[in-house]
Amino acid sequence: MAFDIEMIKEVYAQIPVRIAAARKVVGKPLTLTEKILYAHLSEGAASQAFKRGTSYVDFQPDRVAMQDATAQMALLQFMQAGRSQVAVPSTVHCDHLIQAEIGADQDLSKAKDKNKEVYDFLASVSNKYGIGFWKPGAGIIHQVVLENYAFPGGMMIGTDSHTPNAGGLGMIAIGVGGADACDVMAGLPWELKFPKLIGVKLTGKMSGWTSAKDVILKVAGILTVKGGTGAIVEYFGEGARSLSATGKGTICNMGAEIGATTSIFGYDEKSAAYLSGTGRSDIATLANGIAAHLTGDAEVYANPEQYFDQVIEINLSELEPHVNGPFTPDLAWPISKFAAAVKENGWPAKLDVGLIGSCTNSSYEDISRAASLAQQAVDKKLVAKSEYTITPGSEQVRFTVARDGFLDTFDKMGGVVLANACGPCIGQWARHGAEKQEKNSIITSFNRNFAKRADGNPNTHAFVASPEIVTALAIAGDLTFNPLTDSLTNSEGKQVRLEEPRGLELPTKGFAVEDAGYQAPAEDGSTVQVLVSPTSDRLQLLDSFAAWEGVDLKGMKLLIKAKGKCTTDHISMAGPWLKYRGHLDNISNNMLIGAVNAFNDATNSVKNQLTGAYGEVPATQRAYKAAGIGSIVVGDENYGEGSSREHAAMEPRFLGVRAILVKSFARIHETNLKKQGMLALTFANPADYDLIQENDVIDINGLTTFAPGKSLEVVFHHADGTSHTVVANHTYNEGQIEWFKAGSALNLIKAAKA
């Protein structure tokens, strides 16, 4: 039986009524996205229609999911909310802190020892507040959620940008910062600007080397890393119904790379089969009873241009396998053109490592298809030319693929099985030799490939593809190899070809597991003690941020003018810094150390206006804070792209940065800044970015009359005595302005409980 089945029954009981109310106010056929959003309004049945891209709406999600790196700060905030238990079903998953180095058993053992303090904290706080706890080794949050918690028609928020993975089972699942999770766990509504809608019509049916991963690689090439910002992507059509539930999850998961709020597929036979295959036939039965409400209306899909803000059509029968990269996940290459691109751009053709798995591609289907190629390599006497690693998505998947012989097959090919964790995908990879910073190429079935993300080496050219293509190229050891057309020379000197990969959507003998790694919380946590040592360098109880002073901000310094791509990895790196995710002071020492300073093209080198000397970004900001001087950060387009990590907002807030002024924001990061009481501002004229000078002293005027839709004035006083005044726009509504005035959204929660 499924987790939280009574909650799901309640949701399903209200869906028909709420959708009927939505039809009445909207006055037209509904997309699946609209059905689920309107069914989860905090107010209950809809009383008005909302304007896409404009209306701020309060929702009531059904559940919350957190991974260990983000859960620390989310739960440290929740501890201040004054509740004895979480208001909605919530879970913590220990997947981010396990570093890949040797192999699964050794790496997991080392992580349990190294991170014991953090795991003990997360286990104890989960036990106290009624939160389900998934132990280290249980699996990657999104795969575990898909196997155990995702349900068609539901709504979930998660403290990880790839939470949309659950859209593969027809769930609106959205990545958020920890402060948003804290609100929902505290019983408050969750606010979201009503999204625009992008429809992707899939026709035809895939075959051969093409996989679900190639759909999102193609879409990323069309929409770019910010083309989905402010929108939910809804997939439909005969092609959508032909994809497995885990394949749909792959597509939704990587929708984060186009900036989409989330992505979703409708409920169908594949969804029902996956629910039954993972021991949740009871949910499938319930979903079958309201199946018409778990997909978009027929009129919508017949005339999508009338109901979506943008429509893309992809014929799966014609879709080629793709390879995306390097350095950005939206640089899309059909496999037939990839070899030429490698040669023309001078990318290293020799492939050093192929890595499959991650939250994006670690299902039974993914591993079985990759294993079919590994078996061919063994049978055809091919020796893999590249290193090759496999990361199962969950203990249930790992146990099952081991039982079915796939891990033995990988071993014969020379593959190394890593722990059921994020590992190299998020920079938790102790890659030997990476410190030499040599130019090299790797290919993964992960989702992101920003510079330095996987191994810390800025010269590692990381490419993204399906597990099948990754495996084939790892066997060849050559990025210019096209497995659809090219031959390889085996150990006997014979020319051989790889045949099309084959696999199973679900195991014929069913899933199996001895210990899934789940710990249920205490029924009464009132006597449970949360474990936080006052002398810890990894965990630190939080103090409230100061409220706004009630005046315009004057005499601030420019901390950094960030040039080009500035993701959350640049603002708050992962990798070795993950160990400080529960200690705000310590992790603030990585603030913006990866951002490129526009004035010297260097990273972690900015001018301290108090001394005239150049120094590290965090140290410079600490000097301003000690002197009682505020500062601002100026940035480029899509600032804060990438992970949902709210540390990228909390660190500048903690160190005294008062405002972030950029050309445009990524959605989650903008919300995170607002939640922490920061000013998140955008240039009314993006060209004004060029006016900012290194020694500028800055004023922000208009805060005493701060109001929705009313621009602020930012004055840049230059060292030569001249100045420029620029108009700064914002998207704050009345409630968000109150967050700013109170110092943070959490301050308002605490004040209400006082």
Side-chain angles (χ1 to χ4, degrees), residues 712-723:
L712 297 174
E713 179 184 86
V714 184
V715 184
F716 291 88
H717 301 279
H718 307 312
D720 63 3
T722 63
S723 66

Side-chain angles (χ1 to χ4, degrees), residues 290-373:
I290 59 165
H293 298 302
L294 301 177
T295 186
D297 288 339
E299 299 94 327
V300 170
Y301 296 154
N303 301 285
E305 291 80 7
Q306 297 179 23
Y307 301 97
F308 292 98
D309 298 289
Q310 181 180 353
V311 177
I312 296 168
E313 185 168 338
I314 297 173
N315 186 340
L316 300 183
S317 300
E318 299 173 355
L319 181 65
E320 276 190 70
H322 275 60
V323 180
N324 286 23
F327 305 129
T328 186
D330 59 349
L331 187 59
W333 303 98
I335 191 69
S336 61
K337 298 180 180 178
F338 182 57
V342 171
K343 295 172 185 175
E344 290 169 10
N345 289 283
W347 300 327
K350 177 180 177 292
L351 180 64
D352 282 8
V353 192
L355 306 98
I356 68 165
S358 87
C359 65
T360 319
N361 281 106
S362 55
S363 66
Y364 185 91
E365 180 181 23
D366 290 325
I367 292 178
S368 66
R369 282 174 63 86
S372 74
L373 293 170

Side-chain angles (χ1 to χ4, degrees), residues 546-564:
W548 171 56
E549 302 90 334
V551 298
D552 289 339
L553 303 179
K554 305 285 189 179
M556 295 181 293
K557 304 296 187 183
L558 176 70
L559 175 61
I560 186 173
K561 180 179 175 180
K563 177 182 177 181

Side-chain angles (χ1 to χ4, degrees), residues 39 63 87 112 115 120 204-205 330 353 355 381 432 477 671:
R63 66 177 313 111
K112 287 179 178 178
N115 302 310
D120 287 348
K205 188 174 183 179
D330 59 349
V353 192
L355 306 98
K381 296 181 171 53
H432 305 296
T671 300

Side-chain angles (χ1 to χ4, degrees), residues 133-153:
F133 180 71
W134 290 81
K135 303 172 186 176
I140 306 172
I141 175 173
H142 310 303
Q143 182 67 26
V144 173
V145 165
L146 195 71
E147 292 175 8
N148 295 277
Y149 298 111
F151 66 96

